Amino acid sequence: MKQVIGLTIVFAVAVFGQQKPQQHGGAKPAKPAQVGGGHIPAHGPPPARPSKPNAPPRVAQAHPPADKAGHPEAPHVHVKGDQWVGHSTGKNDPHYHLDHPFDHGHFEGGFGPSHVWHLAGGNRERFWFNNFYWSVAPFDYYITDGWLWDSDQIVIYEDPDHPGYYLAYNPRLGTYAHVTYLGPQ
């Protein structure tokens, strides 16, 4: 008798363990994130289109409005199509001008999705990972307000428009900021 009960329990566990989870209360499955959610873009942004001759330089807007409902009011990357939103001002944006680009050398630790780094400490003025030190461009400070300086993942991309700057992308939030490399310490 004990064997029959034991086999019945094993059979019941096996059968019920293979059933699909049921939704309760009419809850809809979560939609995939449109921005962030751990997504890492396959590539950095393309160079901005050149300005028309004699046109005033395009200038980044502080706290730009969200391009779509639910998107950040900051430069970000759309999960679908890896579209870089907010990187369109081009080479003459005075917010990202450096008198001495690459003052501390070029970053050679690796770029893009195959090089995901974990922040190890600091703040927007000076942060680090794997003994590489960085600083956020002052104009972009607000973008990093939600970053977790001791644990977030960061992916570095080359900036095709602003010499001396790189783009630090946060996959959790889907936002990115201009950063300068301060070298190894």
Side-chain angles (χ1 to χ4, degrees):
M1 183 70 166
K2 288 182 184 181
Q3 286 180 335
V4 172
I5 293 173
L7 287 174
T8 304
I9 292 172
V10 169
F11 178 74
V13 169
V15 168
F16 289 111
Q18 292 179 6
Q19 288 185 346
K20 293 181 182 178
Q22 295 180 356
Q23 294 182 15
H24 298 284
K28 295 180 181 177
K31 288 183 180 178
Q34 293 181 5
V35 174
H39 173 74
I40 298 174
H43 52 77
R49 292 185 321 226
S51 299
K52 294 179 182 177
N54 300 322
R58 291 178 288 202
V59 178
Q61 182 180 356
H63 302 280
D67 63 320
K68 293 182 179 180
H71 287 205
E73 293 183 2
H76 60 277
V77 179
H78 291 172
V79 169
K80 185 177 181 181
D82 285 346
Q83 178 189 2
W84 290 70
V85 175
H87 199 267
S88 59
T89 59
K91 297 182 181 299
N92 296 321
D93 188 331
H95 296 115
Y96 305 114
H97 170 79
L98 293 172
D99 288 336
H100 304 284
F102 306 109
D103 216 13
H104 301 281
H106 291 264
F107 176 62
E108 296 180 1
F111 301 100
S114 60
H115 297 89
V116 179
W117 308 97
H118 293 269
L119 293 176
N123 55 38
R124 62 190 187 189
E125 287 88 14
R126 186 170 185 261
F127 66 94
W128 58 90
F129 53 80
N130 285 50
N131 214 30
F132 299 117
Y133 289 74
W134 300 84
S135 179
V136 175
F139 189 72
D140 288 0
Y141 281 174
Y142 77 97
I143 297 167
T144 62
D145 285 346
W147 289 16
L148 304 177
W149 296 104
D150 61 350
S151 62
D152 262 343
Q153 293 180 327
I154 295 294
V155 181
I156 302 295
Y157 294 90
E158 295 181 271
D159 186 331
D161 294 320
H162 308 112
Y165 281 104
Y166 298 92
L167 300 172
Y169 172 79
N170 183 318
R172 179 176 62 86
L173 301 174
T175 59
Y176 64 91
H178 290 81
V179 296
T180 56
Y181 179 56
L182 301 177
Q185 300 289 323

